[in-house]
């Protein structure tokens, strides 16, 4: 997508982190694209895996930047599913052990917050237990508690080469027509010890953000996903909408719905606009 790039773990990563910090952005979330994929996604928990190396480099050079990592199997496995496969379907419970290992390897490399995104049942408990037994009590868990089986992840999957090789994600992601299950899923993850909850995608799910907001005291994050960025960016490039106003309006809607924080591909641009408007007022 325009303005969105894969980064290598070298000066390019340093410059990007410098740029974001200068814009006043307090936190980043890392997604890894391994050199090789296999059945179980071994690169996901390799000590010299791409995310582990990126974390070490960022931690050393940017001590104040909050480092969040996505914890999931889909970018690392040949089949592209968010969990391990047994008999042609995702084996929820076998996946939990892997998620624990991934979270610990991220914490070891300097992650402040790990964010499991695979919608496996019991993932928060598994990760919290693994982190605590490895003495990483201070590493927090941001759960993608409410994640819908959405068409809006398209650009991300293309960039991460993580579209499922067979079937779809409806075994573990939620039905877009269902809001009661969202409140249930959020409650389960809170009970399992999540420190933050997330609703994803954001724009077509503002009512879900509101419903979860009313049920929990935990900080709530909205994920403004790749397809949502793509829609606004493409329309803006064609001159069909006023980008700045439209983007701020969409993000304000997420905030109004009850999100305390927003993950967005627009972060750097928005931070730049806000700095500009502060300096002119
Ligand atoms: C991995 C994951 C996905 C996204 C974040 N983590 C893709 C998916 O579930 O297919 C999507 C992010 C985006 O669209 O920006 N489970």
């Amino acid at each position: 997508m325009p303005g969105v790039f894969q980064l290598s773990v070298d000066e390019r990563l340093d410059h990007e982190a410098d740029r974001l910090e200068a814009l006043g952005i307090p936190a980043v979330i890392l997604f890894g694209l391994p050199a090789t994929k296999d059945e179980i996604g071994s690169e996901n928990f390799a000590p010299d895996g791409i995310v582990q190396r990126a974390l070490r480099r960022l931690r050393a050079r940017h001590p104040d930047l909050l480092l969040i990592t996505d914890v999931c199997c889909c970018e690392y496995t040949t089949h592209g599913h968010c969990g391990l496969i047994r008999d042609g379907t995702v084996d929820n419970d076998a996946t939990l052990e892997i998620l624990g290992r991934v979270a610990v390897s991220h914490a070891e490399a300097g992650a402040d917050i790990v964010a499991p995104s695979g919608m496996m049942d019991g993932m928060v408990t598994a990760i919290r237990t693994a982190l605590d037994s490895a003495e990483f009590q201070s590493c927090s868990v941001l759960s993608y508690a409410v994640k819908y089986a959405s068409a809006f992840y398209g650009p991300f999957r293309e960039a991460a080469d993580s579209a499922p090789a067979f079937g779809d994600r409806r075994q573990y992601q939620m039905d877009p027509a269902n809001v009661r299950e969202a409140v249930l899923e959020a409650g389960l993850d809170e009970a399992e010890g999540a420190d933050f909850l997330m609703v994803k995608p954001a724009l077509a799910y503002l009512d879900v953000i509101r419903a979860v907001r009313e049920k929990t005291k935990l900080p709530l994050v909205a994920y403004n996903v790749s397809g949502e960025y793509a829609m606004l960016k493409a329309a803006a490039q064609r001159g069909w909408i006023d980008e700045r106003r439209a983007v701020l309006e969409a993000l304000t809607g997420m905030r109004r719905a009850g999100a305390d924080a927003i993950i967005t591909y627009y972060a750097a641009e928005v931070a730049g606009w806000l700095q500009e408007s502060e300096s002119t007022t």
Side-chain angles (χ1 to χ4, degrees):
M1 298 185 294
V4 181
F5 304 97
Q6 299 171 354
L7 295 172
S8 41
V9 182
D10 54 24
E11 303 72 37
R12 266 165 288 199
L13 179 63
D14 306 340
H15 292 154
E16 182 63 3
D18 286 341
R19 181 175 83 97
L20 297 177
E21 280 204 308
L23 285 165
I25 291 173
V28 293
I29 179 162
L30 304 182
F31 293 85
L33 263 174
T36 56
K37 306 193 185 211
D38 62 27
E39 257 317 277
I40 66 158
S42 316
E43 284 288 299
N44 209 351
F45 45 86
D48 62 346
I50 185 81
V51 166
Q52 290 80 357
R53 283 192 288 123
L55 284 167
R56 274 187 230 108
R57 189 163 181 122
L58 287 168
R59 186 78 300 155
R61 285 157 216 251
H62 300 273
D64 296 330
L65 194 59
L66 192 73
L67 302 179
I68 311 172
T69 60
D70 187 75
V71 173
C72 193
C73 297
C74 64
E75 295 124 80
Y76 298 87
T77 51
T78 38
H79 47 75
H81 274 288
C82 300
L84 302 190
I85 300 295
R86 186 177 297 168
D87 300 328
T89 57
V90 169
D91 184 338
N92 187 95
D93 295 4
T95 305
L96 298 178
E97 194 249 333
I98 299 276
L99 296 180
R101 282 169 76 174
V102 175
V104 168
S105 81
H106 288 177
E108 263 164 5
D112 298 300
I113 302 176
V114 292
S117 65
M119 288 294 280
M120 296 298 130
D121 293 336
M123 66 185 184
V124 176
T125 300
I127 288 175
R128 186 72 268 158
T129 310
L131 287 171
D132 290 352
S133 10
E135 303 293 332
F136 291 112
Q137 284 89 350
S138 60
C139 181
S140 305
V141 179
L142 159 57
S143 180
Y144 288 61
V146 180
K147 181 173 178 183
Y148 285 92
S150 169
F152 290 105
Y153 309 146
F156 172 95
R157 287 187 192 168
E158 205 172 300
D161 191 18
S162 69
F166 61 90
D168 55 40
R169 300 210 203 290
R170 282 182 288 185
Q171 183 193 344
Y172 39 98
Q173 296 184 352
M174 287 176 40
D175 173 0
N178 197 335
V179 65
R180 288 201 302 252
E181 191 186 3
V183 174
L184 208 98
E185 289 279 359
L188 286 171
D189 284 13
E190 178 165 5
E192 288 182 31
D195 301 286
F196 310 79
L197 299 176
M198 189 198 294
V199 172
K200 175 187 177 182
L203 273 182
Y205 298 89
L206 294 176
D207 61 315
V208 179
I209 296 174
R210 169 55 49 191
V212 174
R213 169 75 294 151
E214 281 168 8
K215 289 288 182 210
T216 181
K217 296 276 186 287
L218 288 181
L220 185 58
V221 180
Y223 193 145
N224 179 215
V225 302
S226 57
E228 299 175 329
Y229 173 85
M231 287 195 298
L232 287 166
K233 192 47 107 183
Q237 286 192 336
R238 291 187 168 208
W240 289 347
I241 53 168
D242 176 336
E243 184 173 31
R244 191 161 161 161
R245 285 188 55 206
V247 170
L248 290 173
E249 191 172 326
L251 298 178
T252 301
M254 294 167 208
R255 183 85 178 97
R256 191 187 60 238
D260 300 298
I262 300 172
I263 297 176
T264 176
Y265 295 83
Y266 265 113
E269 268 171 286
V270 169
W273 297 335
L274 297 178
Q275 276 188 350
E276 263 171 49
S277 61
E278 263 165 39
S279 61
T280 54
T281 49

